[in-house]
């Protein structure tokens, strides 16, 4: 990031997501809620962010992940639920 200035506008989407996660962790949360983390990011960046979430979860923080990529989200946690539209049905996994 050096040479690009310190504005948020100069950060990539993945850098912005990591910055947001770091800011949230500074409060030592018991629960971290993450909404659509992968939206618009390259697959390699998404994998890096998911690895960070795995580490956060392993450190004892509960992670609530809302994600458009259902397979990605359900593959990461011990429990999960999938909501479908238009009838808003729920399937536990």
């Amino acid at each position: 990031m050096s040479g690009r200035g310190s504005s948020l506008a100069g950060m990539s989407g993945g850098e912005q997501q990591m910055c947001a996660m770091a800011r949230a962790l500074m409060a030592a949360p018991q629960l971290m809620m993450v909404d659509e983390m992968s939206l618009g990011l390259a697959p390699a960046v998404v994998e890096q962010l998911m690895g960070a979430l795995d580490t956060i979860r392993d450190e004892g923080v509960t992670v609530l992940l809302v994600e458009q990529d259902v397979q990605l989200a359900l593959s990461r946690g011990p429990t999960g639920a999938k909501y479908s539209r238009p009838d808003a049905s729920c399937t536990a996994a």
Side-chain angles (χ1 to χ4, degrees), residues 50 53-54 56-58 61-65 71-81 92-93:
M50 291 304 288
L53 277 184
D54 289 343
I56 291 165
R57 182 199 62 225
D58 293 344
V61 177
T62 300
V63 176
L64 174 62
L65 176 63
Q71 295 300 348
L72 175 70
L74 292 177
S75 71
R76 292 301 210 196
T79 59

Side-chain angles (χ1 to χ4, degrees), residues 39-93:
L39 191 62
L41 299 178
V45 174
V46 172
E47 204 47 48
Q48 190 176 21
L49 288 169
M50 291 304 288
L53 277 184
D54 289 343
T55 301
I56 291 165
R57 182 199 62 225
D58 293 344
E59 293 292 321
V61 177
T62 300
V63 176
L64 174 62
L65 176 63
V66 177
E67 180 55 56
Q68 65 183 354
D69 185 343
V70 176
Q71 295 300 348
L72 175 70
L74 292 177
S75 71
R76 292 301 210 196
T79 59
K82 179 179 94 173
Y83 292 91
S84 302
R85 289 201 171 187
D87 64 347
S89 63
C90 175
T91 304

Side-chain angles (χ1 to χ4, degrees), residues 4-26:
R4 288 195 282 169
S6 61
S7 72
L8 189 60
M11 296 171 69
S12 71
E15 290 169 338
Q16 290 178 31
Q17 290 286 23
M18 288 196 182
C19 184
M21 286 174 36
R23 283 182 40 205
L25 288 172
M26 288 173 46

